Amino acid sequence: MEEYLNKNIKEIINQYPEIEKILDEYNIGCAPCNVGTCLLKDIVEIHNLPPEDEKELMTRIAGIIYPDREIKIPRRKRTSQASREIKYSPPMKKLVDEHVLIKRLVFLIPAVINNIDVDSEEERQLVLDVVDFIRSYADKYHHAKEEEILFKYFDENLDILKVIHEDHENARDHVKTVLEAVNNRDKNTVVNHLNAYKELLTEHIKKEDEILYPWMDRNLSIREVGELFSKFADVDRQFENAPKKYENFVDSLEDKFKLKEMVK
Ligand SMILES: [Fe+2]
Ligand SMILES: [Fe+2]
């Protein structure tokens, strides 16, 4: 089993496609991931399943790889207790709260693009305001905290961070395309790329809330958590009233469309 723990997951799935379905049952979605070079042992560590689930998962994987043999499952050294309820450190909780506002905006995208008339100045302006929210709040304010502060505490060559960076880059590309398209009054491109952004960000936030941040929290020392908290507070001071302005913008869109995402 040790040999497979050190193999990359895509290779294992290629050899034993049934393993993909098993991982899915534990909400470990490796198959759609574009990077896919994580080792099986890293995946087990990053997801930090409760011990009984982890043992069951590994036993099922071993049963597929070695159907005729009884395999002893190595026990992993844990840095903290796994629990189904996620408890975030204060700086991580701050990022999760920022996701809530981004999710509320993302939820409104279908209403924004429904029957959009790109020849109307007012409707083009609405798309430009959405783009401004994405660029200023989701990207400059929130992604900058992630990329310029939080991720610097980790080895950026880790596969999980490469996946997250790739998502940020793809999100930026969609937004750039939307901006060009709205100026060219190209409705289809605006609609397609805002939809693609919605899909990408929904999955991205889920990955961060449920996998990345809890894993980071388990690997940060108390001193580092404190440092992060104070560095995030510096960013908040720098941005002054901007976050509040964007919260008001999302409130106004929810009123306009009479729609509100029930997010925690
Ligand atoms: Fe992110
Ligand atoms: Fe994020």
Side-chain angles (χ1 to χ4, degrees), residues 95 99 102 138 142-143 146 151 168 201 204-205 208-209 213:
L95 296 178
H99 283 169
I102 301 171
H142 174 80
H143 286 167
E146 294 179 338
F151 297 173
H168 288 180
L201 254 277
H204 178 76
I205 289 177
E208 291 186 336
D209 284 353
Y213 294 168

Side-chain angles (χ1 to χ4, degrees), residues 42 44-48 76-80 87 89 92 150 153-155 158 160-161 211-225 228:
D42 297 335
V44 174
E45 203 218 306
I46 287 167
H47 286 269
N48 201 37
R76 179 169 64 86
K77 243 178 93 199
R78 288 166 180 267
T79 46
S80 71
K87 287 196 196 76
S89 66
M92 232 53 97
L150 176 63
Y153 285 80
F154 296 87
D155 176 355
L158 288 170
I160 186 160
L161 283 185
I211 302 167
L212 184 74
Y213 294 168
W215 172 76
M216 288 183 156
D217 260 342
R218 291 196 299 280
N219 287 284
L220 287 165
S221 67
I222 294 176
R223 183 186 55 80
E224 288 171 325
V225 168
L228 273 173

Side-chain angles (χ1 to χ4, degrees), residues 5-241:
L5 282 168
N6 287 302
K7 263 200 178 173
N8 94 46
I9 194 66
K10 282 269 157 147
E11 220 176 290
I12 299 178
I13 291 176
N14 279 342
Q15 218 177 333
Y16 305 99
E18 312 95 281
I19 291 178
E20 182 188 326
K21 272 196 224 97
I22 298 179
L23 290 170
D24 254 5
E25 286 175 37
Y26 293 82
N27 279 328
I28 303 177
C30 291
C33 169
N34 300 333
V35 179
T37 51
C38 295
L39 306 180
L40 177 58
K41 70 168 191 233
D42 297 335
I43 286 162
V44 174
E45 203 218 306
I46 287 167
H47 286 269
N48 201 37
L49 295 170
E52 59 286 8
D53 287 8
E54 184 176 311
K55 189 162 180 238
E56 190 188 271
L57 167 71
M58 296 306 285
T59 307
R60 289 177 66 188
I61 292 178
I64 287 175
I65 299 177
Y66 306 102
D68 312 322
R69 268 196 273 162
E70 178 134 350
I71 298 294
K72 218 171 155 278
I73 306 296
R75 273 182 146 249
R76 179 169 64 86
K77 243 178 93 199
R78 288 166 180 267
T79 46
S80 71
Q81 272 303 327
S83 143
R84 283 190 179 83
E85 196 199 324
I86 304 170
K87 287 196 196 76
Y88 299 103
S89 66
M92 232 53 97
K93 176 77 174 59
K94 179 88 185 64
L95 296 178
V96 171
D97 289 344
E98 290 167 13
H99 283 169
V100 172
L101 190 62
I102 301 171
K103 283 195 278 187
R104 282 171 57 195
L105 184 279
V106 162
F107 181 75
L108 292 163
I109 287 180
V112 170
I113 55 184
N114 184 32
N115 289 323
I116 186 176
D117 174 5
V118 286
D119 290 320
S120 138
E121 196 183 332
E122 199 189 317
E123 296 196 20
R124 282 202 309 280
Q125 189 54 49
L126 180 61
V127 175
L128 293 177
D129 291 343
V130 169
V131 165
D132 177 51
F133 173 94
I134 296 173
R135 285 195 152 172
S136 304
Y137 186 88
D139 210 26
K140 254 198 220 128
Y141 175 67
H142 174 80
H143 286 167
K145 269 186 191 157
E146 294 179 338
E147 290 182 349
E148 284 159 29
I149 302 173
L150 176 63
F151 297 173
K152 301 277 187 233
Y153 285 80
F154 296 87
D155 176 355
E156 304 227 11
N157 292 316
L158 288 170
D159 288 299
I160 186 160
L161 283 185
K162 283 194 206 154
V163 172
I164 294 290
H165 271 297
E166 201 176 275
D167 284 351
H168 288 180
E169 286 309 320
N170 290 337
R172 284 173 190 135
D173 287 347
H174 285 309
V175 174
K176 191 168 167 256
T177 310
V178 169
L179 192 59
E180 284 163 6
V182 80
N183 290 328
N184 295 332
R185 304 187 185 195
D186 172 356
K187 177 181 166 168
N188 283 347
T189 307
V190 170
V191 169
N192 291 343
H193 284 266
L194 274 179
N195 270 329
Y197 178 85
K198 176 183 191 283
E199 246 165 67
L200 175 71
L201 254 277
T202 305
E203 275 305 305
H204 178 76
I205 289 177
K206 202 166 144 51
K207 255 182 250 168
E208 291 186 336
D209 284 353
E210 295 175 13
I211 302 167
L212 184 74
Y213 294 168
W215 172 76
M216 288 183 156
D217 260 342
R218 291 196 299 280
N219 287 284
L220 287 165
S221 67
I222 294 176
R223 183 186 55 80
E224 288 171 325
V225 168
E227 251 177 46
L228 273 173
F229 191 76
S230 107
K231 287 182 185 173
F232 286 176
D234 286 344
V235 175
D236 287 345
R237 270 190 292 274
Q238 231 174 288
F239 277 78
E240 295 178 333
N241 298 325

